[in-house]
Amino acid sequence: MFRTALRNVLAHKARLLMTVLAVMLGVAFVSGTLVFTDTLGNAYRNQSAKSYDKVAVAVTTYIDPSEAAKDAGIDEKTLERIRDVDGVASAAGRVSGFAGVADQDGKLIGNGWSNTGANFAPGKDGKDAAYTFTTGEGPREDREIALDKDSAAKGGYKVGDTVRVATNGPVKEYTLAGVFTTEDGAVNAGGSLVLFDTAVAQQLYLRPGYFSDVTVTSEAGASDTKILAAVKPLLPKDSEAQTGKELADEQAKQIESGLSNMNTMLLAFAAIALFVGVFLIANTFTMLVAQRTRELALLRAVGASRRQVKRSVILEALVVGAVASVVGFVLGLGLATGLRSAMSTFGAKVPAGPLVVSPTAVAAALAVGVLITVLAAWLPARRAAKIPPVAAMSSVHAVATTKSLVLRNTIGGVLTLLGAAAIVAGAAAGSDGRTIIGGGAFLALVGIIVLIPLLSRPVIALVRPLLHRLFGVSGKLAGQNAVRNPRRTGATASALAIGLTLVTGISVLGATMGRAVDQMTTDNIRADYMVSMAGGGALDRSALDAIEKAEGVSAVSPQQASSMEIKGNWHSASAVTPGDVEKVFDLETVSGSLATLGKGQIAVDDDTAKSNGWKTGDTLPAEFGQEGKKETKNLTVGAVYKGNEFLSPILVATDVVAPYEPKPYIPEIWVTMDGGASAANEQALVDALGDNPAMSVMDQQDIRNMFGGFINTALNIMYGLLAMALIIAVLGVINTLAMSVFERQQEIGMLRAIGLDRGKVKRMIRLEAVVISVFGAVVGIGLGSFLAWAIGETIRKEIPGYVLVMPWDRIGIFLLLAGVVGVLAALWPARSAAKLNMLTAIKTE
């Protein structure tokens, strides 16, 4: 039986190639994901270990921006005490923050969020161990900086050039003193690193004479643990000290945690691809069994038992799965290499390191491929073993009994109803119902897959008259052929249905979220422009002053992030400019007047007022500051307004919070200008801000694009990952049609003999493929839309003005693509059918 199984594998190479491709793609995705994340994790761990290789102890201080002007940080005296600890070779004080570098065209180098500035901290030898200079040296004067090698190359800078650098204040010009290499994570993430003289960095990011971090190196033979124990008592509160090894290990765990999310997502899509592949594999082995009915019957007649027949089919699956898994694993190595290169394309610099192929990745990939193939082939093998020898030898195929069909359809109906009920229940449960929806979606999907053969007849029957009218005999025959074997049609359509369920669900949610973003912008913003930092940090007060003086500005208000404690509860607040805030935001007053903000009163949104029992005229004791340094001020509620998505629940004048926030945190400034948004007005703001590359000036459409861009990027990633499942589904259509042509050789020969030309034969096969593909697409689109509605109900309360949006244009494209898939999948089978020799085909049994 073993030799027979191997012979059968070699005898059906073309047919099994489809299965090999399906398994190969799924295994490639699994192995590529595992190897990629292992390689990435190993590279970042090595980088982390290398960056802390010479660090004995690292001290980190947690500083609130509002505390920067007080007593936060590590002063020079404490740093000197650390240097005097036994075993310490050197101790370097560090301070850092945002710094954006402009290129020769004035554009920001890097991605904004990881553009960093720090201080150059030379030791007694004049070198800073954290950086290796390729040209020049570290900054030693106020107007000097050093740049990382990649940023200098991107900006086209060399030592001696003038470089424009922006922090959260006005742009300043510096002379480039040196270019260095570093293992700093910000640079490897696609950002930039600027080194300032220590005094300059302290002035920019903390205050003179203070550091936020300290790195300690040890003398030869000294114990890091003993140094750590001696350093800890010297540190101020809100500081933490760790050995370099502890810090490297901690970062390694953070890296693994971060990569695990990506790993899970990629493996989920690999699972989808393999799940779709199950239908193709099952179809393939069902076809192979059908082709070999007489052969299997003969084996039974000469003494082979049912178990041996079943075992021979499973053995074929095992061989096919093993071959496909090995090829897929090799392909996965290439995929991992490609993903690594793709990260560099997106601006992320991946540390150098070897491709890591762990035993776990090898075992998992091979096991998944072989196991999926064997499981998918088990049912066809079981059916093959149940065929009676006499019936098989006389070409009377075992037809599914009425009992088995009733049982199948009953199970499918029950699963579908249970799934639909769970989905509806999850939608009704709100944000707590997403897990219920997930379980319901699985049940509904399985139920529909079981029911698809039953559904295929009535659904396809609806389009058969149209096919006949449009395409004549070819159309009529195609409609009949599509439902001739409902199980095979259902299995083929199921593969497409799964992929399009996911694609449609994601598309509907994406369109809905996009519409919500547009509506949110339109309903809440009156301002023409929003000014913010490219890195998402805080703007300096000087930026607000500069905008107020800009030509054409009619109203300007910051959205200054603040907070206050009222009756034991902390509340976020937005410090704004009275009189102008109504001109930059669309605020609807419920009671009172927003003009009272100018009198030192506060405004509260209606939800917050209702939940706390506050009303206009109430006086509230508001506490500002941190524990132990709180100050209380009685504030009167002057207005209650309908909530605005771009503002905090409490509005207060900037003058009221100024005494408690010496260093205000201003993430955004909103501006209304005479004449509205225009190129001239935008340029006026850019000029007023000193042509600062780190500050972005966005109009309302830019804001929509910013939020919508995240949605579109996520959609494109999802579409790309789901493409593999759809490719496997296409292979399934090809496989089904090829088998259909094989089974109907005699019939096709007869049709040719009575006058059906080759062109009409091709058209018949193509139309059959289109019908099956579109049927699968319709099922998938219907289920995907239902799931999108349910998930949307769980986020309705979190998104103001939520309305489900059906992207009919995209759905139309999906249906069109399904038809194109059918046409492309039919190319080879249609050509094979048209080339059949009439006489040979007629003689075929």
Side-chain angles (χ1 to χ4, degrees):
M1 295 303 294
F2 179 74
R3 287 197 301 270
T4 301
L6 290 181
R7 181 183 60 78
N8 286 327
V9 169
L10 297 175
H12 300 95
K13 293 186 286 290
R15 187 79 64 245
L16 289 170
L17 180 62
M18 303 294 179
T19 298
V20 169
L21 285 172
V23 178
M24 182 181 72
L25 288 173
V27 171
F29 214 146
V30 173
S31 58
T33 296
L34 294 174
V35 171
F36 171 65
T37 50
D38 284 347
T39 299
L40 217 58
N42 182 68
Y44 281 120
R45 280 192 296 273
N46 289 342
Q47 180 195 57
S48 177
K50 186 177 179 181
S51 61
Y52 291 105
D53 185 39
K54 297 179 181 178
V55 175
V57 173
V59 179
T60 303
T61 305
Y62 301 99
I63 301 174
D64 187 301
S66 63
E67 297 293 301
K70 298 179 182 179
D71 60 353
I74 299 169
D75 59 19
E76 290 281 1
K77 290 183 180 178
T78 303
L79 184 60
E80 286 300 324
R81 292 193 193 102
I82 293 173
R83 286 172 178 156
D84 291 338
V85 169
D86 288 341
V88 171
S90 66
R94 306 286 181 184
V95 63
S96 61
F98 173 80
V101 182
D103 62 17
Q104 304 285 3
D105 297 323
K107 303 297 182 183
L108 183 69
I109 296 173
N111 50 31
W113 59 269
S114 59
N115 290 348
T116 308
N119 64 306
F120 177 66
K124 295 177 182 178
D125 58 356
K127 297 180 180 180
D128 189 330
Y131 312 105
T132 302
F133 281 81
T134 56
T135 57
E137 58 183 7
R140 300 183 183 279
E141 299 179 7
D142 291 356
R143 287 290 172 180
E144 289 185 343
I145 61 163
L147 266 182
D148 69 273
K149 185 178 178 181
D150 289 343
S151 298
K154 290 174 185 176
Y157 292 122
K158 60 183 183 298
V159 172
D161 287 349
T162 298
V163 182
R164 297 175 70 243
V165 180
T167 51
N168 62 345
V171 179
K172 294 182 180 179
E173 293 187 345
Y174 298 86
T175 301
L176 185 61
V179 176
F180 59 88
T181 59
T182 177
E183 296 296 331
D184 189 275
V187 176
N188 288 312
S192 61
L193 178 60
V194 183
L195 294 183
F196 299 95
D197 176 68
T198 294
V200 174
Q202 288 175 329
Q203 185 68 42
L204 287 171
Y205 302 124
L206 196 55
R207 59 197 174 112
Y210 282 78
F211 302 94
S212 56
D213 304 297
V214 174
T215 54
V216 179
T217 60
S218 60
E219 296 174 347
S223 168
D224 293 352
T225 306
K226 288 183 179 179
I227 293 174
L228 177 64
V231 166
K232 279 186 175 180
L234 306 176
L235 302 177
K237 66 175 186 176
D238 298 328
S239 295
E240 181 184 3
Q242 295 173 283
T243 64
K245 186 179 184 308
E246 288 174 343
L247 196 56
D249 291 343
E250 184 179 298
Q251 285 199 0
K253 288 180 181 177
Q254 291 173 354
I255 290 166
E256 287 178 7
S257 177
L259 290 174
S260 68
N261 296 327
M262 185 195 329
N263 196 29
T264 301
M265 182 185 72
L266 292 173
L267 287 176
F269 284 99
I272 292 167
L274 286 167
F275 186 52
V276 173
V278 165
F279 295 96
L280 190 154
I281 298 164
N283 246 1
T284 300
F285 280 94
T286 299
M287 296 171 191
L288 291 175
V289 168
Q291 288 179 38
R292 291 160 42 209
T293 302
R294 286 199 170 192
E295 175 190 322
L296 295 174
L298 183 60
L299 288 173
R300 290 290 311 282
V302 297
S305 66
R306 286 187 175 185
R307 182 177 296 178
Q308 285 178 309
V309 170
K310 184 167 66 173
R311 196 181 299 157
S312 72
V313 176
I314 289 177
L315 188 58
E316 289 178 47
L318 187 66
V319 173
V320 170
V323 171
S325 296
V326 171
V327 176
F329 185 79
V330 174
L331 189 63
L333 297 180
L335 180 63
T337 305
L339 287 171
R340 185 172 175 174
S341 301
M343 286 189 68
S344 300
T345 304
F346 285 108
K349 181 183 175 184
V350 180
L355 201 65
V356 177
V357 183
S358 67
T360 303
V362 177
L366 296 179
V368 164
V370 173
L371 188 63
I372 290 291
T373 308
V374 170
L375 287 177
W378 180 81
L379 194 57
R382 185 170 174 271
R383 287 179 188 156
K386 290 175 68 175
I387 297 174
V390 175
M393 292 180 72
S394 58
S395 296
V396 181
H397 290 236
V399 180
T401 63
T402 302
K403 181 181 177 181
S404 69
L405 291 175
V406 170
L407 180 63
R408 175 192 177 99
N409 294 333
T410 302
I411 292 172
V414 169
L415 288 175
T416 302
L417 288 174
L418 286 175
I423 292 169
V424 172
S431 58
D432 297 327
R434 290 166 196 163
T435 304
I436 301 173
I437 291 174
F442 178 76
L443 288 176
L445 190 60
V446 173
I448 286 174
I449 288 169
V450 175
L451 282 178
I452 272 185
L454 178 66
L455 296 173
S456 64
R457 286 186 181 277
V459 173
I460 294 176
L462 294 174
V463 298
R464 281 169 61 180
L466 181 63
L467 291 172
H468 190 189
R469 281 197 297 271
L470 293 177
F471 302 101
V473 175
S474 296
K476 182 178 181 180
L477 291 171
Q480 291 174 344
N481 292 333
V483 293
R484 176 175 291 185
N485 190 328
R487 282 190 173 182
R488 188 185 303 153
T489 297
T492 305
S494 295
L496 281 168
I498 294 167
L500 282 170
T501 294
L502 298 170
V503 169
T504 303
I506 290 167
S507 297
V508 172
L509 286 174
T512 300
M513 295 294 290
R515 188 262 180 198
V517 167
D518 283 349
Q519 193 69 32
M520 182 173 64
T521 305
T522 304
D523 291 349
N524 292 290
I525 300 174
R526 286 184 178 176
D528 297 313
Y529 295 101
M530 180 185 80
V531 178
S532 61
M533 292 295 291
L539 290 156
D540 190 73
R541 172 74 199 190
S542 61
L544 181 60
D545 296 336
I547 292 172
E548 289 173 341
K549 297 173 185 176
E551 185 179 350
V553 171
S554 58
V556 58
S557 175
Q559 195 287 95
Q560 179 179 320
S562 185
S563 63
M564 60 184 73
E565 186 178 0
I566 302 174
K567 296 181 180 179
N569 295 316
W570 281 98
H571 297 271
S572 60
S574 290
V576 297
T577 303
D580 281 2
V581 66
E582 308 98 301
K583 299 175 183 177
V584 296
F585 292 108
D586 193 348
L587 299 174
E588 182 180 342
T589 306
V590 176
S591 64
S593 171
L594 290 171
T596 57
L597 288 171
K599 300 176 183 179
Q601 298 182 10
I602 61 173
V604 182
D605 75 18
D606 50 351
D607 288 338
T608 302
K610 183 179 179 180
S611 62
N612 289 278
W614 299 338
K615 60 184 183 299
T616 304
D618 287 352
T619 299
L620 307 174
E623 293 185 339
F624 297 88
Q626 301 297 317
E627 193 68 38
K629 303 176 185 177
K630 292 182 179 178
E631 297 182 46
T632 303
K633 183 177 180 66
N634 290 324
L635 297 174
T636 301
V637 179
V640 175
Y641 67 96
K642 285 193 174 179
N644 185 294
E645 292 303 306
F646 292 88
L647 291 169
S648 297
I650 296 177
L651 302 184
V652 60
T654 53
D655 292 343
V656 172
V657 299
Y660 316 109
E661 297 177 1
K663 200 166 184 179
Y665 188 85
I666 307 174
E668 304 145 12
I669 299 173
W670 298 85
V671 188
T672 299
M673 302 193 74
D674 298 331
S678 67
N681 280 339
E682 183 174 339
Q683 190 59 48
L685 288 178
V686 171
D687 292 342
L689 293 167
D691 195 16
N692 192 322
M695 293 183 187
S696 62
V697 178
M698 293 189 286
D699 61 20
Q700 289 194 20
Q701 188 57 52
D702 291 331
I703 295 170
R704 291 191 189 100
N705 293 341
M706 177 180 69
F707 289 111
F710 297 143
I711 296 170
N712 290 331
T713 299
L715 281 176
N716 290 333
I717 291 172
M718 296 291 185
Y719 290 155
L721 293 172
L722 288 171
M724 185 170 293
L726 293 176
I727 290 171
I728 294 173
V730 171
L731 294 175
V733 178
I734 295 172
N735 218 6
T736 296
L737 292 174
M739 184 58 194
S740 180
V741 170
F742 174 83
E743 289 180 346
R744 292 170 10 223
Q745 287 186 60
Q746 188 179 56
E747 175 189 317
I748 292 170
M750 291 294 294
L751 290 171
R752 290 288 314 284
I754 61 175
L756 195 69
D757 61 30
R758 289 185 174 182
K760 290 180 179 178
V761 170
K762 287 182 180 180
R763 189 182 304 157
M764 176 184 71
I765 302 298
R766 288 174 191 148
L767 288 173
E768 182 181 343
V770 170
V771 168
I772 294 173
S773 299
V774 173
F775 168 58
V778 168
V779 173
I781 288 170
L783 183 56
S785 300
F786 180 47
L787 288 174
W789 164 80
I791 294 170
E793 290 298 302
T794 67
I795 60 176
R796 175 184 288 274
K797 292 182 179 179
E798 301 167 18
I799 303 175
Y802 173 89
V803 177
L804 186 71
V805 177
M806 293 297 295
W808 296 113
D809 53 342
R810 292 187 190 179
I811 288 174
I813 291 172
F814 296 157
L815 287 171
L816 181 63
L817 287 175
V820 171
V821 162
V823 172
L824 294 176
L827 289 177
W828 173 54
R831 186 168 176 270
S832 299
K835 288 177 65 178
L836 285 174
N837 184 283
M838 281 186 285
L839 295 177
T840 304
I842 291 171
K843 289 189 294 181
T844 301
E845 295 184 8

